[in-house]
Structures are given as C-alpha cells and as structure tokens.
Amino acid sequence: MTDELDASVRELADIPAVEVISRAAVMLMSSAAEKLGLADEDPETSPQRDLDEARRVITALAGLVTASVEYLGPHAGPMREGLQSLQRAFRESSAHPDEPGKGPGEKYTGPVY
C-alpha cells in the first residue's frame, strides 16, 4: 500500500501547477452546471437542481480563478468566460435574483450582468 501511495504522490508532483488548477476549475464548473440543472433537458425540473449548492460551488470557482489568473496564461480567458456563464445562469435560475455584485462569486469577480 505504501508503494502505491508513494507512486501516486510522485505522479501528482510531476503535474504542472497550471494543470492542477485547471482540472480543479473544470471540476467546479461541471459541479455548478449540474447543480444548476443545466445537464438536463429542462433545468427547471431537474432533480439535481440545488441553487444553494450551486452558489457555493460558483463562489469557490470564482475564488480559484481570481486567485490564480496570473498563472493560467491562455487558459485564463476561457476560465473567466465559463465562470461568467455560470454566474449568469444562476441569476436567470433564481426566483429572486441577487443585486448586481451580490451574486455567487461576484465579490471576487465584480458584478456580472
């Protein structure tokens, strides 16, 4: 078991930081999309839809992207665009949308309209 653990740790050490950050961001994006119900034909009736959980994941994504933007290089633009799309989808999904600047992650990204 120790040999397997050592091998996996060594493998993780070989992965460039930008790839680790990108993988984490993609996982958070996927989770947010699922929690917004975007994977289903009708997001409004999706059994996975959970706006409270979506808010948390989008906020975590915003923090990660904002904190690591200088390291993302050419990946920064698409990451920001994906984040903004999720923030807009959240606003459109909400029965009572947050004020601009008060939505999920907007304390890190600024207002999203």
Side-chain angles (χ1 to χ4, degrees):
M1 173 109 172
T2 304
D3 292 336
E4 290 176 23
L5 183 59
D6 289 343
S8 67
V9 169
R10 272 185 251 126
E11 289 174 15
L12 186 58
D14 293 336
I15 300 172
V18 68
E19 189 172 334
V20 173
I21 294 166
S22 296
R23 285 183 185 186
V26 168
M27 182 179 286
L28 290 168
M29 285 182 182
S30 297
S31 176
E34 289 282 341
K35 293 179 185 314
L36 289 170
L38 299 177
D40 291 334
E41 210 170 291
D42 182 9
E44 296 286 324
T45 62
S46 172
Q48 271 64 42
R49 186 173 173 168
D50 185 335
L51 295 183
D52 187 48
E53 287 285 304
R55 176 184 295 278
R56 294 172 190 192
V57 176
I58 293 169
T59 299
L61 174 62
L64 175 64
V65 170
T66 301
S68 59
V69 72
E70 68 183 285
Y71 307 114
L72 294 174
H75 304 285
M79 292 284 180
R80 283 181 168 163
E81 289 170 14
L83 169 58
Q84 288 176 354
S85 293
L86 290 166
Q87 289 172 309
R88 281 191 292 274
F90 183 91
R91 184 175 305 282
E92 291 169 8
S93 296
S94 298
H96 304 286
D98 298 312
E99 296 176 33
K102 302 289 185 184
E106 291 183 14
K107 70 180 179 181
Y108 302 113
T109 64
V112 176
Y113 302 95

